[in-house]
Amino acid sequence: MKAIYIKKDERQELPPLAATIGFFDGVHRGHQFLIGHVVREAQAAGLAAAVITFDRHPRQVLQSDYQPQQLSTLDEKLMLLSRTQLDAALVLHFDKNLAALPARDFMAQVLRGQLNVRKLIIGYDNRFGHNRSEGFDDYVSYGRELGIEVVHDEPFLPDGEKISSSVIRRHIERGDMEAANRALGYDYAQLGTVVSGYQNGHKIGFPTANLDVASCQQLIPAPGVYAVRVRQENSVEWKRGMMNIGTRPTFNGTELSLEVNIFDFKEDVYGQRLLVSIISKMRDERRFGSLDALARQLRQDRDAINTLLDSLLDAGHTVISNQ
């Protein structure tokens, strides 16, 4: 798959395309279902298959105070899209001028004029154009005028459950990683840089790699202790571990921290980037009356996490993350 960044008003030398359009945050199972439809339509019509997405969330342009809580960065999104059978991902620069285009103008100027789209597959609940004021019947009408066949995708409702980026965010905000990972189709992961921490973990036999919260560009799960698998940036080996997300109440902490204890691991990883695949929330974060009590609980957490990961391994669960 090629990732192509589209410059404003520059006509691209692209083959005739079957395409869909959206932000595709997380490239979850619903997106994957839609992409599969695009690929089939492209193959049947002898077209190349593409998605059209944006370099930033539209709300970042339309609402100056909007702070995105995204499931994937742009690079991660393109990585996930590359695992599909798409021929291309076309990345549009989203700005106020693009946001102001009515749907027909967007279809004429961008989809047909710039990108050579001949067949447009619309997600069952997707709308585009200024104020998202028009719908599927309008797109079909405009498409007839412009030489774009417009096709509606069917809803993807496994077990009657709607899968969307907003639903997945709610799962993560509650710490329900099993539900989030089922909807994503892979294990949600945080990528962060290791910085100097508080050194408290060393005192009780559980040294931690402290991730720079500012370097974690995705939505951070609810506070608690999580079963995780960890991979160093230049390694393919996944190691077991546990991560505490919270304010470290036993040490009277006040700021959010992400501390990862990698099991049976003694390397110095300061300054490195770690990918932390988040499997399950084990318990809430809480204050302990002594360091001995905290150490006992961490030993219990480690044993419980090993038991959980052993059971997942026996069930054939492998690590598939967003990196």
Side-chain angles (χ1 to χ4, degrees):
M1 185 201 79
K2 292 183 178 179
I4 304 172
Y5 293 81
I6 307 299
K7 296 180 181 179
K8 184 179 179 182
D9 300 327
E10 179 180 80
R11 181 175 174 81
Q12 300 291 315
E13 295 299 324
L14 296 171
L17 298 177
T20 189
I21 184 168
F23 191 65
F24 297 102
D25 188 23
V27 193
H28 54 64
R29 290 174 61 203
H31 295 143
Q32 295 163 28
F33 179 84
L34 171 60
I35 289 167
H37 188 181
V38 173
V39 170
R40 292 191 297 273
E41 292 281 353
Q43 291 172 343
L47 303 171
V51 299
I52 300 163
T53 190
F54 309 108
D55 62 353
R56 68 193 72 190
H57 197 289
R59 286 177 63 185
Q60 286 179 272
V61 175
L62 300 174
Q63 299 172 229
S64 59
D65 60 345
Y66 176 69
Q67 296 294 324
Q69 296 286 298
Q70 293 175 194
L71 304 175
S72 56
T73 65
L74 177 58
D75 286 345
E76 290 161 346
K77 178 165 62 177
L78 294 174
M79 173 69 73
L80 290 163
L81 290 171
S82 74
R83 296 175 181 170
T84 70
Q85 293 180 287
L86 289 167
D87 297 300
L90 310 178
V91 183
L92 298 176
H93 174 60
F94 196 89
D95 58 17
K96 290 184 178 179
N97 291 328
L98 188 65
L101 285 178
R104 190 192 183 285
D105 290 349
F106 178 78
M107 290 177 68
Q109 296 172 27
V110 179
L111 298 186
R112 190 66 173 88
Q114 268 190 291
L115 305 181
N116 202 15
V117 173
R118 304 297 180 85
K119 180 172 282 194
L120 180 66
I121 295 84
I122 300 291
Y124 78 97
D125 61 350
N126 188 33
R127 292 190 174 209
F128 60 85
H130 182 60
N131 289 333
R132 296 160 55 93
S133 58
E134 294 153 296
F136 178 73
D137 291 340
D138 299 302
Y139 308 148
V140 171
S141 177
Y142 303 150
R144 288 197 191 101
E145 300 173 27
L146 299 168
I148 301 175
E149 181 184 356
V150 179
V151 178
H152 217 178
D153 189 45
E154 295 297 320
F156 178 63
L157 300 168
D159 301 320
E161 180 185 8
K162 178 182 177 181
I163 292 180
S164 70
S165 299
S166 58
V167 167
I168 294 168
R169 289 188 198 100
R170 288 197 290 273
H171 290 322
I172 293 171
E173 287 167 348
R174 291 196 300 265
D176 189 350
M177 301 311 300
E178 289 90 347
N181 293 341
R182 281 196 304 272
L184 285 167
Y186 58 86
D187 295 332
Y188 186 69
Q190 287 279 349
L191 180 67
T193 302
V194 180
V195 295
S196 296
Y198 304 95
Q199 306 300 318
N200 292 313
H202 285 276
K203 300 173 185 176
I204 55 176
F206 288 89
T208 59
N210 298 272
L211 301 186
D212 179 16
V213 173
S215 74
C216 298
Q217 300 178 43
Q218 302 149 262
L219 178 64
I220 295 173
V225 175
Y226 290 82
V228 300
R229 293 187 177 99
V230 185
R231 180 165 65 80
Q232 293 168 267
E233 187 172 24
N234 296 318
S235 171
V236 296
E237 180 185 1
W238 288 95
K239 301 176 178 66
R240 295 181 175 193
M242 56 184 168
M243 178 165 69
N244 186 80
I245 299 174
T247 58
R248 305 164 49 256
T250 302
F251 299 98
N252 299 313
T254 57
E255 296 182 352
L256 180 68
S257 66
L258 284 72
E259 298 180 295
V260 184
N261 172 248
I262 307 172
F263 299 165
D264 304 314
F265 183 78
K266 296 181 179 179
E267 294 180 28
D268 182 354
V269 292
Y270 288 120
Q272 293 186 29
R273 293 205 299 173
L274 297 181
L275 184 67
V276 182
S277 182
I278 307 172
I279 308 301
S280 180
K281 183 179 177 183
M282 306 303 292
R283 63 174 174 85
D284 290 335
E285 184 186 43
R286 64 179 186 268
R287 180 188 294 274
F288 291 86
S290 68
L291 294 185
D292 286 342
L294 173 58
R296 282 195 299 272
Q297 180 62 60
L298 291 177
R299 287 192 291 272
Q300 293 173 15
D301 293 336
R302 181 179 58 197
D303 291 345
I305 288 169
N306 274 322
T307 299
L308 171 66
L309 296 181
D310 283 343
S311 69
L312 292 176
L313 187 63
D314 290 342
H317 180 96
T318 56
V319 183
I320 302 174
S321 77
N322 55 344
Q323 283 282 327

